[in-house]
Amino acid sequence: MIDRRLWRATRSHRRQLTATTGWLVAATASYWLQAVLLALAFAAAASGRFLAVPALAGGLLACLAVRVWLQRRHLVSAQRLGTGIRSRLRAAILTASLAPERLHDPADRIGARSMAATEGVDGVDRYVAHYIPHALQALVLPPLMCLALAFMHPLFGLAGLIGFLIAVAGPRLWDRLLARRGWAHADTFEALSSDLLESLRGMSALRTLGAVPRVRQQLGKRSDALHEATVSTMRVSLFNTAIIDLGIQVGTVAAGLLAAATAASVPLPGGPGVWQQATPYVVLILAGELFRPVRDLSRQWHSGYLGLSAVTLLDRALPGGLGTVVDTSAGASGPSAGEPATQAPGPEGARIDAITLDGVRFAYAPDAPAVLDGVSAHWSADDGLIGLIGASGAGKTTLFDVVLGISAPLAGSVAARSGTAQNPLAPTDVAYVPQRPVLFAGTLRENLALPTANQPTDQQLWDALEAVHLASTVRGWPRGLDHEVAEGGRSLSGGQRQRVAIARALLTGRPVLLLDEPTSSLDGEASAVVLNTLREISRVRLVVATAHQADAVAASDTLWALEQGQLRAVRTPHTTSVGVPVETKATGGNA
Ligand SMILES: Nc1ncnc2c1ncn2[C@@H]1O[C@H](COP(=O)(O)OP(=O)(O)OP(=O)(O)O)[C@@H](O)[C@H]1O
């Protein structure tokens, strides 16, 4: 009745779950009191004791007011429970998606992660905050009610019990099928969502390739599969509803018939009196109330179904599965594990004098060949602009990922020396400009200030733009620093995107700057300016840039080559060239 994994996900919220269930049960119990008061009022009116009716009517009104209050408390409590579950799961999903193995997992799709963090989390929220309390109530209250009916007459209790067993145990026959259909539905939904997101992102490429009709066809098939999965789930839900209704009808009709027979002839315990006169009414009304928790639970069917569907999404998004999510609420306001803490910007961070790579080994999979196979190097802040060359696919980006702490080396270490202190290099000491920089929807100012905790001044922003030869272009835009950048930086040219990303990295003030092909999209003039800037910066920070172009290689004061998984010094500031660059391309590109 309650999925084990979803139940385990409530582990850190048991107190709130108990409170939510408690308020719900109390609100439902108020219907019982109302039923008894109503039955007494009918009995009083039927036997001509009209004076008792106003007092009983007052009791009924009070009961109603208390129930409204209890229901409100229940809703507030359920909302709190849902919020707790949602924030904990979303934090866990974000943390998991930053794990190095996820970043390198070719099967990992943004659409699937996005589905898990939205639909999946909402499904668990609904299941835990609404379905579970109703399921617990449906398991506890009706048996108690059967006992109360049995106290009046064993036959009343038996009739109620039979109806309850049909209504609650019947649908359990479909539980497995329902879960399977729910998971299949989630799978197809996830596939459609992932494909759709990817297609939307690559729409211009698809259009230029003439591949739109083919993708449309594929999406159509996914959509049909989703429709089929939805319809087959609805079929199971119909069976569910039919069985529950059957149980409710059997129980209510049986109790009603018994009550009628009682009123006519069957002798009741307790002898004649007010209670005996009220008993048929009590039985009639309570027989309906007996099934209220079951009816309420069946109204939560959709919540239950959403939760079951979410299990499969969240099991994939979270390492170890949904049930093993640890409570992160204590650190909810801080950065998640694996996420670099935001560094306060400053004119300069603490200086790092050198980075030492010692026997670094890395492979993308246990059975894959090592991309880095014992990389050792000493990069000093006195080395000027450090260039890193290597054939395409040699492992330059991989090496940066290891230095950034995104990929964990299988062996070896990356250490940073500041003065006499030697420590593992902290990711927060490194600013990184990737090969394909990512910009976000918002203003240029917001994009530039993104990684800094304090908003940089306009002067700092202009200085950074000046350093990357972009200031005059931005001054020409009507809104200047408040120029709107489209999602992914689409509204800027490749070269402008690259320069904004470099400016953004400069503004962090971090002592180490890594750049993956920083001039690959720049024309000769812009490339020369950026390389000059990097050389200037390399006097105060440790700057390493991968380089393919001849001018970038020439501008480097120190040159290292990555070949067959190992690093070799090609040029140092104190020597002339001691080797030939592995691969250089003619300078070019478009700014
Ligand atoms: N996520 C990944 N999973 C598996 N293999 C990968 C992954 N990323 C890169 N590789 C492989 O690792 C090797 C090194 O790739 P890397 O991107 O580090 O090379 P690179 O020197 O930066 O190349 P380029 O100059 O073309 O950018 C390549 O053979 C590549 O196919």
Side-chain angles (χ1 to χ4, degrees):
M1 189 158 185
I2 296 175
D3 183 86
R4 246 181 316 120
R5 285 165 296 181
L6 285 159
W7 174 249
R8 280 211 299 272
T10 66
R11 230 177 359 193
S12 319
H13 303 271
R14 290 281 156 82
R15 193 179 296 179
Q16 194 65 44
L17 178 62
T18 310
T20 306
T21 311
W23 290 117
L24 178 67
V25 166
T28 307
S30 74
Y31 283 104
W32 294 8
L33 184 61
Q34 177 182 310
V36 172
L37 290 173
L38 202 59
L40 287 173
F42 280 146
S47 59
R49 286 178 291 105
F50 294 107
L51 282 179
V53 174
L56 290 167
L60 279 170
L61 281 178
C63 197
L64 192 71
V66 168
R67 183 164 60 249
V68 169
W69 179 73
L70 289 170
Q71 282 172 335
R72 186 160 163 67
R73 295 306 310 247
H74 164 243
L75 279 180
V76 169
S77 184
Q79 223 164 35
R80 238 178 245 151
L81 175 60
T83 305
I85 289 274
R86 277 201 312 274
S87 53
R88 185 167 65 93
L89 284 179
R90 291 213 168 104
I93 290 172
L94 288 179
T95 304
S97 68
L98 288 172
E101 58 279 11
R102 296 306 291 268
L103 294 172
H104 298 311
D105 180 0
D108 194 33
R109 301 188 71 186
I110 298 279
R113 258 190 267 162
S114 148
M115 272 278 292
T118 51
E119 309 281 329
V121 170
D122 284 348
V124 176
D125 160 10
R126 297 275 299 273
Y127 192 94
V128 171
H130 298 279
Y131 181 82
I132 291 185
H134 279 89
L136 292 174
Q137 173 180 258
L139 285 175
V140 172
L141 282 191
L144 285 180
M145 179 72 84
C146 287
L147 266 181
L149 288 173
F151 176 73
M152 287 180 238
H153 196 288
L155 279 179
F156 296 159
L158 188 65
L161 190 65
I162 290 172
F164 168 71
L165 287 179
I166 296 175
V168 171
R172 303 291 67 79
L173 297 172
W174 312 106
D175 265 0
R176 276 176 172 278
L177 186 61
L178 180 65
R180 271 206 306 277
R181 296 271 161 95
W183 296 330
H185 184 265
D187 279 346
T188 43
F189 201 179
E190 185 188 82
L192 175 63
S193 164
S194 301
D195 283 358
L196 192 61
L197 192 64
E198 199 165 18
S199 313
L200 288 174
R201 285 181 146 182
M203 193 47 81
S204 50
L206 292 173
R207 198 170 286 154
T208 46
L209 283 168
V212 174
R214 197 191 173 98
V215 171
R216 196 182 295 138
Q217 208 177 8
Q218 278 168 357
L219 289 176
K221 277 189 196 151
R222 292 269 194 227
S223 186
D224 290 346
L226 180 62
H227 175 72
E228 224 166 88
T230 309
V231 169
S232 82
T233 312
M234 297 317 285
R235 266 189 229 121
V236 181
S237 112
L238 271 182
F239 276 119
N240 241 356
T241 314
I243 297 267
I244 292 172
D245 275 350
L246 180 71
I248 292 175
Q249 299 312 329
V250 165
T252 314
V253 169
L257 288 175
L258 281 169
T262 303
S265 60
V266 179
L268 290 165
V274 174
W275 183 244
Q276 188 183 4
Q277 288 162 1
T279 297
Y281 300 108
V282 172
V283 173
L284 267 178
I285 299 172
L286 278 193
E289 291 306 324
L290 163 67
F291 295 102
R292 183 180 290 280
V294 182
R295 273 200 308 271
D296 286 351
L297 177 64
S298 77
R299 254 183 246 128
Q300 297 299 327
W301 179 87
H302 197 63
S303 304
Y305 162 69
L306 284 179
L308 285 177
S309 307
V311 169
T312 176
L313 298 175
L314 290 169
D315 269 352
R316 274 200 286 265
L318 295 165
L322 174 62
T324 59
V325 176
V326 290
D327 189 2
T328 54
S329 54
S333 56
S336 312
E339 179 188 347
T342 310
Q343 178 179 321
E348 296 301 328
R351 184 181 159 93
I352 283 188
D353 297 315
I355 292 177
T356 305
L357 303 161
D358 186 15
V360 172
R361 210 169 168 279
F362 179 82
Y364 278 100
D367 52 349
V371 178
L372 306 176
D373 197 7
V375 168
S376 294
H378 184 79
W379 294 335
S380 163
D382 297 333
D383 287 349
L385 177 58
I386 302 170
L388 177 63
I389 56 174
S392 176
K396 302 178 294 294
T397 306
T398 306
L399 178 59
F400 276 1
D401 281 353
V402 170
V403 173
L404 283 160
I406 292 174
S407 295
L410 298 171
S413 62
V414 181
R417 182 170 60 75
S418 300
T420 52
Q422 179 108 344
N423 291 304
L425 180 67
T428 46
D429 281 334
V430 189
Y432 178 52
V433 181
Q435 215 167 349
R436 285 185 292 274
V438 178
L439 301 185
F440 298 90
T443 64
L444 178 64
R445 184 195 301 278
E446 284 163 355
N447 269 284
L448 288 168
L450 194 64
T452 59
N454 302 328
Q455 177 64 35
T457 62
D458 278 10
Q459 190 54 52
Q460 286 171 318
L461 296 177
W462 285 117
D463 286 350
L465 290 173
E466 207 75 64
V468 294
H469 200 50
L470 197 60
S472 60
T473 309
V474 175
R475 284 203 178 92
W477 291 340
R479 297 184 60 198
L481 290 170
D482 293 315
H483 179 78
E484 284 294 334
V485 176
E487 191 179 70
R490 277 194 328 268
S491 52
L492 302 183
S493 77
Q496 287 167 347
R497 268 204 296 272
Q498 202 164 28
R499 279 177 285 168
V500 170
I502 298 173
R504 183 169 65 185
L506 296 179
L507 282 161
T508 62
R510 295 182 179 185
V512 178
L513 186 55
L514 300 184
L515 305 102
D516 207 351
E517 300 200 36
T519 56
S520 59
S521 320
L522 304 183
D523 64 16
E525 196 192 344
S527 173
V529 172
V530 167
L531 287 169
N532 249 343
T533 302
L534 293 180
R535 289 190 71 167
E536 274 170 33
I537 295 166
S538 70
R539 293 199 200 115
V540 285
R541 302 186 204 182
L542 201 158
V543 185
V544 186
T546 64
H548 275 311
Q549 281 93 351
D551 58 349
V553 173
S556 303
D557 300 296
T558 306
L559 207 56
W560 291 80
L562 186 60
E563 290 168 317
Q564 283 154 6
Q566 302 201 335
L567 266 183
R568 169 174 74 83
V570 176
R571 183 198 309 150
T572 69
H574 317 293
T575 62
T576 51
S577 179
V578 292
V580 181
V582 176
E583 183 190 280
T584 58
K585 292 183 203 157
T587 308
N590 52 346

